[in-house]
Amino acid sequence: ERHHMSPPPRIPRIVLYSHDAMGLGHMRRNLLLAQALSGGQRRAAVLLIMGATEGCAWRAPEGTECLALPAVRKDPDGTYQSRSLAVTYDSLIAIRQRILSTALEAFNPDLVVVDKVPGGMAGELRPAIASMRQRRRTKWVLGLRDILDAPEKVRAEWDAQDNWNLIRSSYDAIWVYGDLKVSDPAVEYGFDASIASKVHHTGYLDPSVRLASKPDATTRWLDHTIPDGPLALCMIGGGQDGYDVARAFSQAQYPDDTTGLIVTGPHLPAADFEALEDVARTKQRLEVVRFVADPWLLLRRAKHVVAMGGYNTVTEILSAQRRALIVPRVHPRTEQLIRAERLARLGVLDCLHPNDLTSDAISSWLSQDTAPPLDARTILDFGGLARVRLLSRALVRSAPPARRRLPVTSLLEQVS
C-alpha cells in the first residue's frame, strides 16, 4: 500500500522593491526589512529588487536573494540619467520595466512591498501591478519613511504621477516606518478616507537588531589605524551632495585626544574625495574612507557624530544613543530638514541648518561638554520590525490584522 504525503506548505514569497540608486539608506532599510520578514517560525523567501549593485554587496539574510536593476544617477537639479549604460533615460526605464515584469511574474510573490514611489521610477512598476492585480492574489504594500518632503510638494508630485488612483485601486496597505510624535502622513499629505484607512504606523525600524556582521577590510584597517580615545564620526550618506559637510568637519578643531573619521559614501566625486585626503594629510588625527559595509560598527565606538539627515542614518544614530549634530539636505527636498528639526525639538539630537554650516560651528559643537542625549527609545517607538512581520503575515493570510497597532511587548512575544 502506498501512502501519499501532502506536500509541505508553500513558503511565503515576498518582494521588497526600491528604485533608488543613490540613497544607500533605501537599500539598507530593505535589507533590514528582509531580515525581519524572512525570519521567525514561518520562514519566507525574499527577493530584494534594488536600483543599484551597491545594495547587493551587503550581507543578505538566509533565504534572500538580490536583483540589481541597471542604475540611474540623480543630477544636481533633481533629474535622472543612466548611470553607467550608454543609453537614454527612456531606454533605461524600458529595460528596467521589462526586468521587473519578468521577475515578478516568474517569482509570483504573495506580497510586494514598494519603497516610497507607488508606481516605481518613471512608472516602471505599473505594467507589473496591472498584470498581477488581475489575478487578485499578490498583496501590494507601499512603504513610507516618516517624512517624505514638504506637504505641498508631496501632494503636487502625487497629483502629477496619479499616485492617488493607483493606491486606491491597487494597494492593500501603507506602512509608515515612523512614530506619530514625529509625523502623520495621512494628515500632512491630505490622504482621503479610502487611502487613510490603509495606513499603519509601524514605529521606527530598529537597526540594532540587524544581523551581526563581520568587519570588512576597511573597518579592520580602521581598528588598527584609529588610536585609542574618543572618536568623532562624520557620515554623509551616499556622498553625492555631502561634500560641504565633510569639508567643514575636516577643517574643524577636535577636542584633545579625539580622532576624526569621515565616511564619504561611494558617490562622492573623486576630486572632492582627494581634497578631503589632502586635508587629512595635514592633520594628525583625521582619517577619510569612502565606504564601510556596516557603519553600525563605527557608530558604537563614536562619541560624537556629525551627519546628514537621511532616515537610516538618523535611526542608526538614535538607536546607538550617540550625541549627534545633523546637517540636513535642503535641496531638492526638505525631508531631512523637517525630520531633523522635529527630532531636535524632542531633544534627541541637535540640528544645524546648512546655511549656518562652518568649521567653527562644528568645532564649537564638538567642544561642548554637555549631558548625553535623551534616550530616544524612551520617547519614540522603535518596534517597527516586529509590527512589519505581523502585518505581512496577516496580509499573506489574506486576513486583516485585528488591530492597527499593538504594544511592542506583545508583538515581540509573538514573533520570538
Side-chain angles (χ1 to χ4, degrees):
E1 182 179 354
R2 302 179 68 179
H3 297 278
H4 296 279
M5 297 182 63
S6 300
R10 183 180 188 269
I11 296 175
R13 297 181 182 183
I14 300 173
V15 169
L16 301 175
Y17 160 88
S18 174
H19 75 280
D20 205 290
M22 304 300 290
L24 299 183
H26 295 271
M27 305 177 199
R28 292 177 62 79
R29 181 163 64 247
N30 270 2
L31 281 165
L32 193 58
L33 288 168
Q35 177 184 334
L37 296 176
S38 64
Q41 295 179 350
R42 189 184 183 194
R43 307 197 69 83
V46 178
L47 177 62
L48 283 160
I49 301 180
M50 296 189 174
T53 56
E54 288 89 348
C56 298
W58 283 298
R59 178 187 175 191
E62 182 180 352
T64 299
E65 285 288 349
C66 181
L67 172 63
L69 301 172
V72 301
R73 75 169 191 269
K74 184 187 288 186
D75 291 337
D77 61 0
T79 59
Y80 289 92
Q81 306 292 335
S82 173
R83 185 203 289 183
S84 301
L85 292 180
V87 298
T88 65
Y89 178 64
D90 289 343
S91 296
L92 186 76
I93 293 300
I95 295 169
R96 287 166 56 110
Q97 180 178 298
R98 182 69 62 87
I99 293 171
L100 282 166
S101 294
T102 302
L104 288 169
E105 289 287 341
F107 190 55
N108 193 22
D110 301 282
L111 174 65
V112 180
V113 182
V114 176
D115 188 35
K116 181 187 171 187
V117 182
M121 172 167 281
E124 65 187 7
L125 262 182
R126 285 179 177 267
I129 294 174
S131 174
M132 298 181 75
R133 286 302 287 187
Q134 290 179 358
R135 288 178 286 179
R136 300 186 180 279
R137 181 181 166 279
T138 301
K139 302 295 182 180
W140 290 81
V141 171
L142 178 63
L144 301 179
R145 57 186 182 237
D146 53 353
I147 308 289
L148 295 179
D149 202 346
E152 63 278 6
K153 189 166 184 180
V154 173
R155 289 192 290 266
E157 284 186 355
W158 282 30
D159 286 342
Q161 297 167 6
D162 195 26
N163 287 343
W164 310 107
N165 286 327
L166 181 62
I167 294 171
R168 289 188 197 98
S169 65
S170 300
Y171 276 84
D172 300 279
I174 300 171
W175 297 345
V176 179
Y177 310 128
D179 190 307
L180 281 165
K181 296 186 189 72
V182 178
S183 69
D184 186 350
V187 173
E188 295 182 32
Y189 306 143
F191 293 179
D192 64 24
S194 65
I195 295 178
S197 66
K198 301 181 182 189
V199 173
H200 300 269
H201 287 265
T202 68
Y204 284 98
L205 307 178
D206 187 356
S208 69
V209 300
R210 183 182 291 120
L211 287 170
S213 60
K214 296 179 180 179
D216 63 353
T218 301
T219 307
R220 290 194 298 270
W221 174 77
L222 289 170
D223 283 340
H224 291 94
T225 302
I226 298 175
D228 293 335
L231 174 66
L233 176 64
C234 177
M235 302 189 300
I236 56 173
Q240 66 271 17
D241 59 354
Y243 175 65
D244 289 344
V245 177
R247 180 183 60 185
F249 180 90
S250 72
Q251 297 171 348
Q253 297 299 312
Y254 310 138
D256 291 343
D257 300 325
T258 294
T259 298
L261 171 63
I262 303 172
V263 181
T264 68
H267 303 309
L268 183 76
D272 292 341
F273 186 82
E274 292 170 5
L276 294 174
E277 287 190 311
D278 289 342
V279 176
R281 280 190 281 268
T282 69
K283 300 184 72 166
Q284 185 176 2
R285 284 180 173 263
L286 175 63
E287 299 290 341
V288 181
V289 296
R290 185 169 283 282
F291 180 76
V292 292
D294 191 353
W296 180 256
L297 299 173
L298 296 175
L299 271 173
R300 290 190 302 180
R301 181 175 173 182
K303 181 179 180 181
H304 302 90
V305 182
V306 176
M308 297 183 71
Y311 177 94
N312 265 55
T313 298
V314 168
T315 54
E316 287 179 339
I317 290 169
L318 295 180
S319 181
Q321 299 180 46
R322 292 300 179 259
R323 183 165 171 255
L325 177 66
I326 301 300
V327 187
R329 175 190 299 124
V330 295
H331 299 292
R333 297 186 179 276
T334 57
E335 162 227 337
Q336 293 192 6
L337 177 64
I338 296 168
R339 177 182 298 112
E341 289 181 339
R342 293 184 184 182
L343 291 172
R345 286 196 291 269
L346 291 172
V348 295
L349 50 74
D350 296 320
C351 176
L352 177 68
H353 194 285
N355 290 347
D356 301 320
L357 173 65
T358 63
S359 59
D360 288 342
I362 292 180
S363 300
S364 176
W365 181 82
L366 290 171
S367 67
Q368 293 172 10
D369 187 15
T370 58
L374 296 175
D375 183 356
R377 294 175 181 276
T378 66
I379 298 171
L380 300 172
D381 184 345
F382 274 81
L385 292 175
R387 290 195 184 88
V388 160
R389 188 181 294 177
L390 283 184
L391 290 167
S392 67
R393 194 174 297 169
L395 277 171
V396 168
R397 288 197 302 256
S398 297
R403 286 179 285 175
R404 294 181 63 193
R405 184 161 181 162
L406 299 175
V408 174
T409 52
S410 67
L411 286 164
L412 295 176
E413 290 171 0
Q414 294 184 49
V415 300
S416 60

